[in-house]
Amino acid sequence: MLQVNNLTFQYKKQPILKDISFSVKTGEHFSIIGESGSGKSTLLKLLYGTYDLNEGNIFWKDNEILGPKHNLIIGPEYMKYVAQEFDLMPFITVAENIGAYLSNFYPEEKQARTNELLEVVELQAYAHIKVKELSGGQKQRVAIARAIAKQPEVLLLDEPFSHIDNFKKQSLRRSLFKYLKEKKITCIVATHDKDDVLSFSDHMMVLHDAKIMIKGTPQQLYKNPEDKLIASFFGEFNVINGGIIYANQLKIVDTSNLKAVVKKSYYKGYYYLIEADLDGNNVFFEHKKVLKKGLPICLSIYNNL
Ligand code: ADP
Ligand code: MG
């Protein structure tokens, strides 16, 4: 398992990460979430041994992961890291990039393996296209395929689908996480997309103010978001009488104490997100139909989580 003990790190004077401790079991999928600038990418880079820690230590099984002071080559052999700014070789093809770390000794096996990886990231049709001719999202898929080519024990993914459009994102996400689970590859994902987490992560943690705000399963954090920051990660929410209430937990009823007036309806496909005024505060709730501006309504809170 991966074990991080009391890690503290600063680029300059200001600590970016303070006293961070967590562990990830072998084969587990673990998500690191937090606002932009909260240190997600820094933490992944530290797990990869890119920088020396100011305090603490990191172990994968019995091996300590050490920074550049102790290593000529950054990155342990059993680990692969797909950076937010993936760096590929632009002048060779997709297939050549993916096969770059595979041995040339068994050309048939190399070919078969490359094909398998092209399938995982759904790029079969692009095998012989030069990487410089690809879109950002396609490049990101090549970077992922290259990282898993030699089956690492641990895969670090930094916002792995951020450049990939919605048409492809859903199926690629399912295909990649299924593959990683089947191969029992431990996977740590930095993300700000709840869809990377809810269906696919065994555990998650939230970084805030250089610290771990909370750790848990996605279900635990979704059902009991102890802080507005956590709720905002999962979706639209309200604070009513001090409690965090998701937009889908508020429903219109005939009478109640929560009297509101409709301000605006936003079309969301199978529902409308309604913005209403409740005692001078904006509240949001989901409703099947569009509602007219100015309509008086009564709302009730449902504990449907
Ligand atoms: P996230 O990935 O959560 O958006 P980062 O880890 O990229 O956050 O950044 C965390 C903080 O560290 C930010 O304040 C950022 O400006 C700072 N930072 C990131 N990289 C460097 C660097 N190479 N040198 C100095 N400061 C950095
Ligand atoms: Mg980042």
Side-chain angles (χ1 to χ4, degrees), residues 4-6 8 13 16 18 51 81 132-133 135 164 184 198 201 243 263-264 284 300 305:
V4 176
N5 301 308
N6 310 99
T8 293
K13 274 195 184 136
I16 304 292
K18 269 191 284 197
Y51 306 117
Y81 164 57
K132 69 182 168 74
E133 290 162 29
S135 72
I164 295 164
K184 299 189 172 62
L198 281 171
S201 286
K263 288 172 77 173
K264 195 167 168 48
F284 291 91
S300 181
L305 297 181

Side-chain angles (χ1 to χ4, degrees), residues 6 22 36 51 59-60 69 102 110 121 128 130 142 152-153 162 207 222 230 232 237 239 245 256-258 267 273 281:
N6 310 99
F22 65 97
S36 189
Y51 306 117
F59 280 88
W60 170 248
K69 268 188 197 156
L102 298 174
K110 178 170 177 171
V121 295
H128 304 296
K130 287 203 173 76
V142 177
E153 289 179 58
S162 57
L207 287 181
Y222 176 74
I230 302 164
S232 67
F237 71 98
V239 178
I245 309 293
S256 80
N257 295 331
L258 297 176
Y267 181 58
L273 182 72
N281 294 317

Side-chain angles (χ1 to χ4, degrees), residues 57-244:
N57 51 50
I58 306 169
F59 280 88
W60 170 248
K61 297 178 178 165
D62 294 329
N63 309 307
E64 183 163 8
I65 299 172
L66 295 164
K69 268 188 197 156
H70 308 270
N71 278 314
L72 207 55
I73 298 170
I74 289 171
E77 209 175 278
Y78 49 82
M79 197 180 257
K80 279 282 180 292
Y81 164 57
V82 183
Q84 224 166 331
E85 325 78 27
F86 25 87
D87 70 291
L88 297 166
M89 293 170 268
F91 300 107
I92 60 173
T93 68
V94 168
E96 286 162 344
N97 263 276
I98 292 175
Y101 300 144
L102 298 174
S103 162
N104 286 321
F105 208 72
Y106 305 101
E108 275 171 27
E109 274 155 45
K110 178 170 177 171
Q111 183 65 48
R113 178 77 181 132
T114 304
N115 289 343
E116 182 190 17
L117 293 161
L118 283 166
E119 214 170 291
V120 173
V121 295
E122 300 173 11
L123 277 179
Q124 299 96 315
Y126 294 85
H128 304 296
I129 307 281
K130 287 203 173 76
V131 159
K132 69 182 168 74
E133 290 162 29
L134 299 182
S135 72
Q138 289 164 339
K139 283 182 194 155
Q140 194 162 30
R141 282 144 65 192
V142 177
I144 292 170
R146 191 180 59 172
I148 56 177
K150 264 181 96 178
Q151 275 207 34
E153 289 179 58
V154 185
L155 180 65
L156 309 173
L157 297 172
D158 200 346
E159 303 197 12
F161 311 110
S162 57
H163 296 262
I164 295 164
D165 59 58
N166 274 333
F167 299 107
K168 267 268 173 282
K169 202 185 286 197
Q170 316 293 349
S171 74
L172 180 65
R173 210 187 249 132
R174 281 192 293 269
S175 147
L176 177 66
F177 287 127
K178 180 166 168 259
Y179 177 87
L180 297 176
K181 271 284 170 199
E182 277 169 10
K183 305 287 178 186
K184 299 189 172 62
I185 296 172
T186 307
C187 177
I188 302 174
V189 189
T191 181
H192 51 228
D193 188 340
K194 69 176 188 314
D195 292 332
D196 292 343
V197 179
L198 281 171
S199 310
F200 303 107
S201 286
D202 301 300
H203 287 93
M204 65 186 289
M205 71 179 187
V206 184
L207 287 181
H208 184 62
D209 276 346
K211 295 225 173 81
I212 297 176
M213 177 186 258
I214 193 165
K215 284 183 277 206
T217 66
Q219 282 203 21
Q220 284 165 343
L221 269 60
Y222 176 74
K223 287 187 176 175
N224 187 19
E226 288 175 11
D227 190 280
K228 286 194 268 187
L229 179 74
I230 302 164
S232 67
F233 175 73
F234 291 116
E236 211 75 57
F237 71 98
N238 308 286
V239 178
I240 298 176
N241 298 330
I244 291 172

